[in-house]
Amino acid sequence: MESEINSQAEIIENLINRYILNYCVLIDIPLCINRIVLIASGSSYNAALFGKYFFENISNIEASCEYASEIAHSNFTNFDKNVLYVFISQSGNSVDTVLAMEKIKEQGLKTLCITNNENSKLYNECDYKFDIKAGLEYAIAATKTFGASVVMLWIIALKIAQNKQIDVTSHIENIGSIRKNIEDAISDIENLDLVSKILSKQQGFSICGYNEKFPIALEASLKIKETCYINTCAYPLGEFIHGHFALLNKSNVLLTFLTSDCTNLERNLLKKILKTYKAKSIVVSDTYDDYDCDILLKFPKCQSKIATIVSMIIVVQMLAFKTALRLKRNVDKPQGLNKVVDDKDLK
């Protein structure tokens, strides 16, 4: 797991260099897209939520996310012919994702996949396909394939925007420093050992994030569950105050993602929570700010939005890794877990 976390700087740099040249995105996608539906499971579903954010905020196009199992095993067949259906799977053979793809292909609809396997069902059968070329991932918990999938979705969003004559210069400038940003995040996360020590002693805790930081919170929750067997729950920060924060009556830790561009709304929401409950507040951020928190889990500030997102992904992965080591878990082969890539894995 540690090796695969460390490999992301090179993998993501190669991905960007392969598809972006002189501010131009060099990929083939449909020209006329009215809406996007992203379909995935597990960590790939969390990546899909980032895709929704990118498509709506960069490409100015409506997007939604669906769990592959819900599509695959539902009776619904009235799919929209003006939609691009995007499937995300590390293996390209994840059983529910493949079944969902086959169901949609039967309707003659446009399909696109992001995978780490050119010799897979998804890659062979989708109309448009992208191999993130992350190399074989040995650890059960997705790390390098997750980071690369998120960046690939960002690249696709840029291309859709360019096809719509939207200027994406501000998103791409400074992208040349992303490798250094990732390497800095891996090597320089303040209070990482302290926070991992605190989390390793919890039976459960809540994780919050607003807007694009909500998928980060979900991925943090999943990674900690997978590697540490700690019961974590993730919420949008604004939603958390609608009853969910009663959990803080039993749990004394709240982990929140707030970056240097966060809004006053985000700060005020956190302050409202902490005024009501005396939880130990841990904030993940790229800047020192008035978060009124007990511990700041700080990573180096980046020059681009996508680099900041990838750096937060690194923080999540390193935090899960360090916490699992403290608990003496087998981070590469968590007990009872395997990648669901065949029908027998569901039986």
Side-chain angles (χ1 to χ4, degrees):
M1 183 178 177
E2 184 178 27
S3 173
E4 289 168 356
I5 292 171
N6 292 337
S7 69
Q8 287 175 99
E10 181 179 3
I11 290 166
I12 289 172
E13 182 184 54
N14 289 343
L15 200 58
I16 289 169
N17 290 341
R18 188 183 317 138
Y19 292 125
I20 300 178
L21 179 64
N22 296 327
Y23 291 89
C24 185
V25 182
L26 308 173
I27 61 173
D28 180 30
I29 58 171
L31 289 175
C32 297
I33 304 171
N34 295 333
R35 190 163 67 88
I36 292 173
V37 174
L38 300 111
I39 299 171
S41 301
S43 282
S44 292
Y45 181 83
N46 295 338
L49 289 171
F50 275 113
K52 171 179 164 62
Y53 171 81
F54 296 143
F55 294 132
E56 292 180 347
N57 289 275
I58 298 175
S59 315
N60 194 27
I61 186 169
E62 182 185 352
S64 60
C65 300
E66 300 286 347
Y67 287 105
S69 58
E70 294 295 304
I71 296 292
H73 303 291
S74 74
N75 294 321
F76 182 76
T77 57
N78 188 25
F79 298 105
D80 191 336
K81 294 186 179 298
N82 295 313
V83 167
L84 175 64
Y85 292 90
V86 176
F87 301 88
I88 309 166
S89 168
Q90 306 152 32
S91 68
N93 292 315
S94 180
V95 57
D96 286 339
T97 309
V98 168
L99 287 173
M101 180 271 295
E102 290 175 339
K103 189 172 187 177
I104 287 169
K105 288 286 288 184
E106 287 173 358
Q107 308 293 316
L109 306 175
K110 294 189 289 288
T111 57
L112 179 152
C113 76
I114 297 172
T115 183
N116 193 39
N117 182 6
E118 287 186 349
N119 299 312
S120 64
K121 188 85 169 174
L122 279 182
Y123 193 88
N124 289 330
E125 296 193 12
C126 282
D127 303 312
Y128 301 87
K129 57 203 71 180
F130 297 99
D131 179 4
I132 56 176
K133 297 187 183 298
L136 186 62
E137 191 168 57
Y138 291 94
I140 294 295
T143 53
K144 62 180 181 177
T145 54
F146 178 77
S149 295
V150 169
V151 173
M152 190 70 240
L153 285 161
W154 174 75
I155 292 170
I156 294 170
L158 292 174
K159 181 62 175 180
I160 294 172
Q162 289 189 336
N163 286 346
K164 296 173 68 176
Q165 307 302 312
I166 297 173
D167 184 8
V168 296
T169 302
S170 62
H171 296 283
I172 300 176
E173 61 186 1
N174 299 317
I175 199 61
S177 62
I178 193 167
R179 177 167 185 161
K180 184 177 186 306
N181 294 150
I182 296 170
E183 290 172 342
D184 288 347
I186 291 171
S187 63
D188 187 19
I189 305 172
E190 293 184 25
N191 293 319
L192 179 61
D193 288 335
L194 174 60
V195 173
S196 68
K197 182 177 180 180
I198 292 170
L199 297 188
S200 69
K201 297 178 180 179
Q202 307 305 310
Q203 295 297 313
F205 60 92
S206 299
I207 309 175
C208 290
Y210 179 82
N211 212 345
E212 83 281 5
K213 293 178 281 291
F214 174 53
I216 283 283
L218 280 172
E219 182 63 8
S221 177
L222 180 57
K223 282 291 160 287
I224 290 168
K225 287 173 186 170
E226 288 178 319
T227 59
C228 307
Y229 321 148
I230 297 173
N231 184 20
T232 59
C233 296
Y235 306 89
L237 186 56
E239 173 63 18
F240 190 56
I241 66 170
H242 292 280
H244 306 289
F245 67 166
L247 289 168
L248 297 178
N249 284 306
K250 287 291 186 179
S251 172
N252 64 350
V253 170
L254 176 65
L255 179 64
T256 311
F257 290 85
L258 294 171
T259 48
S260 55
D261 61 350
C262 71
T263 63
N264 285 332
L265 170 64
E266 293 173 77
R267 292 186 180 88
N268 291 337
L269 283 170
L270 180 59
K271 287 178 180 179
K272 175 179 175 63
I273 292 167
L274 298 177
K275 184 178 180 180
T276 307
Y277 296 97
K278 303 303 180 184
K280 183 180 290 293
S281 173
I282 302 169
V283 169
V284 179
S285 182
D286 57 348
T287 186
Y288 299 104
D289 207 332
D290 180 23
Y291 299 125
D292 195 27
C293 61
D294 296 292
I295 303 170
L296 180 66
L297 188 61
K298 183 181 175 299
F299 63 93
K301 195 169 183 178
C302 305
Q303 290 73 44
S304 65
K305 183 77 171 182
I306 187 62
T308 300
I309 287 172
V310 174
S311 293
M312 283 193 289
I313 290 170
I314 295 294
V315 172
V316 162
Q317 294 169 354
M318 291 297 293
L319 184 58
F321 173 73
K322 292 282 189 180
T323 306
L325 289 186
R326 286 186 177 275
L327 291 167
K328 302 188 185 306
R329 310 296 193 210
N330 184 338
V331 293
D332 294 333
K333 295 182 179 180
Q335 185 176 349
L337 294 187
N338 62 319
K339 293 182 186 290
V340 181
V341 297
D342 198 293
D343 286 320
K344 67 178 184 294
D345 296 323
L346 295 179
K347 296 176 181 177

